[in-house]
Amino acid sequence: MQFTSPLLRGTLLRRYKRFFADIELDSGEQITAHCPNTGAMTGCAEPGFTVYVSPADNPKRKLKFTWELAVTANNNWIGVNTHHANKLVQEVLEQDPPAVFGPTLSIKREVTPPGGTSRFDFCLTRTDHSLLYVEVKSVTLAMENKGYFPDAVTQRGQKHARELTALANQGLATGLFFCVQHTGIESVHLAEHIDPGYADAVREAAHAGVDIVAMGCQITQEKIILNQQLPIIL
DNA sequence: CTTGAACTGCCTAATAATTG
DNA sequence: CAATTATTAGGCAGTTCAAG
């Protein structure tokens, strides 16, 4: 995924009220950027981090910039725009999907399975015309070189995981895709210490046959590309 | 084109529980 | 029983995407 216009570099002053980030650009100008990440962003939003924002040309927007990238003290790059996660996953599904998902004919987004209550990020139609429902999760919490999910208690995520399990038990193909937008993460782990209930739900899902995949990406100020499969430790 | 849901932490208001 | 503390519930924020 290429950024359509060049990003501007700055320093994070503070992130607050969920949607806002005050940033001092290299030019010295102080701005408030939209923070497109609804998560806790633990370890991703420390004041003083180098950050990159994209300019918004939409005149209707109140905030002229969107926060896209953060660089940690260890020089790891993080994609904070969770909206890109689905786009990144879509790209990799179209171009070079993980083997367990198999080649696909078409991809639909935001699909509610028949009889279900949750919407899933993707529904793939595979070459044998079977359907595969995939839920995408964005991983940004890192400790050492390990990535953890979730970074906060998530009842909604747990509901998704349990519904995936239910679909799998009905014989449908299902997948859970961890999109790791953090260059320092080399493996993905369940955050037992943060949300043990979710960890259990994912293990149950795996046991029920939900295919769980994690991919990491290359991040530069020009683009983000999901390019490597990462091990998952359940 | 218009509308509305989703994303989910944080702050505040309201209620419940505990203590002197 | 009043006063203080603890817990819970609700509303809010900007943007994007999908459905009508």
Side-chain angles (χ1 to χ4, degrees), chain A residues 214-225:
Chain A
M215 288 191 75
C217 52
Q218 175 197 336
I219 302 176
T220 69
Q221 71 181 280
E222 284 87 34
K223 62 186 174 181
I224 304 178
I225 302 175

Side-chain angles (χ1 to χ4, degrees), chain A residues 105-119:
Chain A
L105 292 174
S106 68
I107 300 177
K108 275 202 298 183
R109 289 172 74 154
E110 303 296 334
V111 184
T112 306
T117 53
S118 291
R119 274 201 313 203

Side-chain angles (χ1 to χ4, degrees), chain A residues 66-89:
Chain A
T66 301
W67 183 9
E68 300 285 356
L69 306 175
V71 183
T72 69
N74 302 332
N75 210 36
N76 286 318
W77 288 58
I78 306 169
V80 298
N81 192 334
T82 50
H83 226 141
H84 291 334
N86 279 12
K87 199 176 287 183
L88 291 168
V89 171

Side-chain angles (χ1 to χ4, degrees), chain A residues 85-87 89-90 93 107-111 120-124 132-136:
Chain A
N86 279 12
K87 199 176 287 183
V89 171
Q90 183 169 2
L93 289 177
I107 300 177
K108 275 202 298 183
R109 289 172 74 154
E110 303 296 334
V111 184
F120 292 97
D121 294 313
F122 292 102
C123 179
L124 312 183
L132 171 68
Y133 291 94
V134 180
E135 178 67 14
V136 175

Side-chain angles (χ1 to χ4, degrees), chain A residues 51-181:
Chain A
V51 296
Y52 291 85
V53 296
S54 62
D57 47 3
N58 183 346
K60 286 185 177 178
R61 277 180 56 150
K62 294 184 182 174
L63 301 174
K64 302 252 175 113
F65 299 92
T66 301
W67 183 9
E68 300 285 356
L69 306 175
V71 183
T72 69
N74 302 332
N75 210 36
N76 286 318
W77 288 58
I78 306 169
V80 298
N81 192 334
T82 50
H83 226 141
H84 291 334
N86 279 12
K87 199 176 287 183
L88 291 168
V89 171
Q90 183 169 2
E91 283 181 0
V92 82
L93 289 177
E94 284 168 350
Q95 290 162 22
D96 187 20
V100 287
F101 291 167
T104 60
L105 292 174
S106 68
I107 300 177
K108 275 202 298 183
R109 289 172 74 154
E110 303 296 334
V111 184
T112 306
T117 53
S118 291
R119 274 201 313 203
F120 292 97
D121 294 313
F122 292 102
C123 179
L124 312 183
T125 304
R126 298 189 285 184
T127 45
D128 62 356
H129 291 88
S130 66
L131 299 178
L132 171 68
Y133 291 94
V134 180
E135 178 67 14
V136 175
K137 295 295 169 198
S138 191
V139 180
T140 50
L141 175 62
M143 293 179 67
E144 303 296 322
N145 57 356
K146 296 171 178 160
Y148 287 92
F149 190 89
D151 63 355
V153 178
T154 158
Q155 53 174 344
R156 187 186 142 78
Q158 203 174 123
K159 183 187 165 200
H160 268 135
R162 296 201 184 285
E163 191 156 339
L164 281 174
T165 304
L167 291 177
N169 284 332
Q170 289 168 33
L172 281 168
T174 51
L176 189 54
F177 195 121
F178 290 104
C179 177
V180 181
Q181 292 191 68

Side-chain angles (χ1 to χ4, degrees), chain A residues 177-198:
Chain A
F177 195 121
F178 290 104
C179 177
V180 181
Q181 292 191 68
H182 188 308
T183 56
I185 291 176
E186 292 166 15
S187 60
V188 175
H189 303 248
L190 294 174
E192 197 78 50
H193 55 293
I194 292 173
D195 191 345
Y198 184 79

